[in-house]
mmCIF file of all heavy atoms in Angstrom:
data_model
loop_
_atom_site.group_PDB
_atom_site.id
_atom_site.type_symbol
_atom_site.label_atom_id
_atom_site.label_comp_id
_atom_site.label_asym_id
_atom_site.label_seq_id
_atom_site.Cartn_x
_atom_site.Cartn_y
_atom_site.Cartn_z
ATOM 1 N N ILE A 167 72.617 -25.427 -140.753
ATOM 2 C CA ILE A 167 71.601 -24.891 -139.822
ATOM 3 C C ILE A 167 71.601 -25.717 -138.526
ATOM 4 O O ILE A 167 71.527 -25.170 -137.419
ATOM 5 C CB ILE A 167 70.201 -24.888 -140.497
ATOM 6 C CG1 ILE A 167 70.180 -23.853 -141.634
ATOM 7 C CG2 ILE A 167 69.091 -24.588 -139.484
ATOM 8 C CD1 ILE A 167 69.006 -23.972 -142.587
ATOM 9 N N ALA A 168 71.704 -27.039 -138.680
ATOM 10 C CA ALA A 168 71.735 -27.909 -137.485
ATOM 11 C C ALA A 168 72.950 -27.575 -136.615
ATOM 12 O O ALA A 168 72.851 -27.525 -135.388
ATOM 13 C CB ALA A 168 71.764 -29.373 -137.912
ATOM 14 N N ILE A 169 74.093 -27.338 -137.262
ATOM 15 C CA ILE A 169 75.309 -26.991 -136.493
ATOM 16 C C ILE A 169 75.064 -25.705 -135.705
ATOM 17 O O ILE A 169 75.376 -25.610 -134.512
ATOM 18 C CB ILE A 169 76.526 -26.822 -137.441
ATOM 19 C CG1 ILE A 169 76.882 -28.162 -138.090
ATOM 20 C CG2 ILE A 169 77.731 -26.253 -136.689
ATOM 21 C CD1 ILE A 169 77.870 -28.072 -139.241
ATOM 22 N N LYS A 170 74.468 -24.715 -136.393
ATOM 23 C CA LYS A 170 74.220 -23.425 -135.728
ATOM 24 C C LYS A 170 73.318 -23.609 -134.501
ATOM 25 O O LYS A 170 73.575 -23.072 -133.426
ATOM 26 C CB LYS A 170 73.576 -22.454 -136.730
ATOM 27 C CG LYS A 170 73.485 -21.042 -136.242
ATOM 28 C CD LYS A 170 72.487 -20.223 -137.024
ATOM 29 C CE LYS A 170 71.084 -20.664 -136.663
ATOM 30 N NZ LYS A 170 70.032 -20.165 -137.497
ATOM 31 N N GLU A 171 72.258 -24.414 -134.660
ATOM 32 C CA GLU A 171 71.316 -24.646 -133.553
ATOM 33 C C GLU A 171 71.979 -25.388 -132.392
ATOM 34 O O GLU A 171 71.781 -25.035 -131.232
ATOM 35 C CB GLU A 171 70.119 -25.484 -134.047
ATOM 36 C CG GLU A 171 69.184 -24.721 -134.978
ATOM 37 C CD GLU A 171 68.572 -23.498 -134.316
ATOM 38 O OE1 GLU A 171 68.158 -23.598 -133.153
ATOM 39 O OE2 GLU A 171 68.547 -22.422 -134.965
ATOM 40 N N LEU A 172 72.752 -26.400 -132.717
ATOM 41 C CA LEU A 172 73.409 -27.175 -131.649
ATOM 42 C C LEU A 172 74.459 -26.316 -130.948
ATOM 43 O O LEU A 172 74.621 -26.385 -129.730
ATOM 44 C CB LEU A 172 74.023 -28.467 -132.218
ATOM 45 C CG LEU A 172 72.985 -29.510 -132.677
ATOM 46 C CD1 LEU A 172 73.657 -30.659 -133.432
ATOM 47 C CD2 LEU A 172 72.181 -30.065 -131.495
ATOM 48 N N HIS A 173 75.135 -25.498 -131.726
ATOM 49 C CA HIS A 173 76.135 -24.586 -131.142
ATOM 50 C C HIS A 173 75.447 -23.621 -130.168
ATOM 51 O O HIS A 173 75.958 -23.358 -129.068
ATOM 52 C CB HIS A 173 76.843 -23.829 -132.264
ATOM 53 C CG HIS A 173 77.866 -22.858 -131.789
ATOM 54 N ND1 HIS A 173 79.028 -23.241 -131.150
ATOM 55 C CD2 HIS A 173 77.905 -21.492 -131.847
ATOM 56 C CE1 HIS A 173 79.727 -22.170 -130.833
ATOM 57 N NE2 HIS A 173 79.065 -21.094 -131.244
ATOM 58 N N LYS A 174 74.275 -23.137 -130.590
ATOM 59 C CA LYS A 174 73.502 -22.226 -129.726
ATOM 60 C C LYS A 174 73.125 -22.928 -128.412
ATOM 61 O O LYS A 174 73.094 -22.318 -127.356
ATOM 62 C CB LYS A 174 72.229 -21.793 -130.473
ATOM 63 C CG LYS A 174 71.901 -20.325 -130.270
ATOM 64 C CD LYS A 174 70.923 -19.772 -131.264
ATOM 65 C CE LYS A 174 69.589 -20.501 -131.251
ATOM 66 N NZ LYS A 174 68.691 -20.043 -132.323
ATOM 67 N N ALA A 175 72.854 -24.227 -128.520
ATOM 68 C CA ALA A 175 72.485 -25.006 -127.321
ATOM 69 C C ALA A 175 73.727 -25.498 -126.562
ATOM 70 O O ALA A 175 73.618 -26.331 -125.656
ATOM 71 C CB ALA A 175 71.611 -26.185 -127.730
ATOM 72 N N LYS A 176 74.909 -24.994 -126.972
ATOM 73 C CA LYS A 176 76.189 -25.337 -126.325
ATOM 74 C C LYS A 176 76.533 -26.836 -126.437
ATOM 75 O O LYS A 176 77.142 -27.429 -125.547
ATOM 76 C CB LYS A 176 76.219 -24.900 -124.860
ATOM 77 C CG LYS A 176 76.088 -23.394 -124.670
ATOM 78 C CD LYS A 176 76.503 -23.004 -123.282
ATOM 79 C CE LYS A 176 76.517 -21.527 -122.989
ATOM 80 N NZ LYS A 176 76.194 -20.573 -124.020
ATOM 81 N N ILE A 177 76.119 -27.435 -127.545
ATOM 82 C CA ILE A 177 76.443 -28.837 -127.790
ATOM 83 C C ILE A 177 77.557 -28.884 -128.835
ATOM 84 O O ILE A 177 77.407 -28.360 -129.941
ATOM 85 C CB ILE A 177 75.189 -29.611 -128.276
ATOM 86 C CG1 ILE A 177 74.148 -29.629 -127.148
ATOM 87 C CG2 ILE A 177 75.559 -31.029 -128.729
ATOM 88 C CD1 ILE A 177 72.837 -30.291 -127.496
ATOM 89 N N PRO A 178 78.706 -29.473 -128.476
ATOM 90 C CA PRO A 178 79.832 -29.488 -129.423
ATOM 91 C C PRO A 178 79.550 -30.347 -130.657
ATOM 92 O O PRO A 178 78.934 -31.413 -130.554
ATOM 93 C CB PRO A 178 80.994 -30.086 -128.625
ATOM 94 C CG PRO A 178 80.512 -30.278 -127.243
ATOM 95 C CD PRO A 178 79.032 -30.139 -127.205
ATOM 96 N N VAL A 179 80.002 -29.853 -131.800
ATOM 97 C CA VAL A 179 79.715 -30.525 -133.075
ATOM 98 C C VAL A 179 81.009 -30.838 -133.828
ATOM 99 O O VAL A 179 81.941 -30.039 -133.853
ATOM 100 C CB VAL A 179 78.818 -29.616 -133.965
ATOM 101 C CG1 VAL A 179 78.715 -30.170 -135.377
ATOM 102 C CG2 VAL A 179 77.427 -29.475 -133.364
ATOM 103 N N ASN A 180 81.025 -32.038 -134.423
ATOM 104 C CA ASN A 180 82.060 -32.418 -135.386
ATOM 105 C C ASN A 180 81.358 -32.483 -136.751
ATOM 106 O O ASN A 180 80.497 -33.341 -136.956
ATOM 107 C CB ASN A 180 82.642 -33.783 -134.990
ATOM 108 C CG ASN A 180 83.560 -34.382 -136.043
ATOM 109 O OD1 ASN A 180 83.848 -33.757 -137.066
ATOM 110 N ND2 ASN A 180 84.014 -35.603 -135.800
ATOM 111 N N CYS A 181 81.698 -31.580 -137.646
ATOM 112 C CA CYS A 181 81.035 -31.558 -138.953
ATOM 113 C C CYS A 181 81.755 -32.518 -139.903
ATOM 114 O O CYS A 181 82.960 -32.393 -140.144
ATOM 115 C CB CYS A 181 81.010 -30.147 -139.516
ATOM 116 S SG CYS A 181 80.193 -30.101 -141.120
#
Side-chain angles (χ1 to χ4, degrees):
I167 292 166
I169 294 168
K170 190 198 72 191
E171 289 300 317
L172 291 171
H173 179 66
K174 220 164 59 186
K176 298 196 176 358
I177 295 177
V179 170
N180 170 4
C181 180

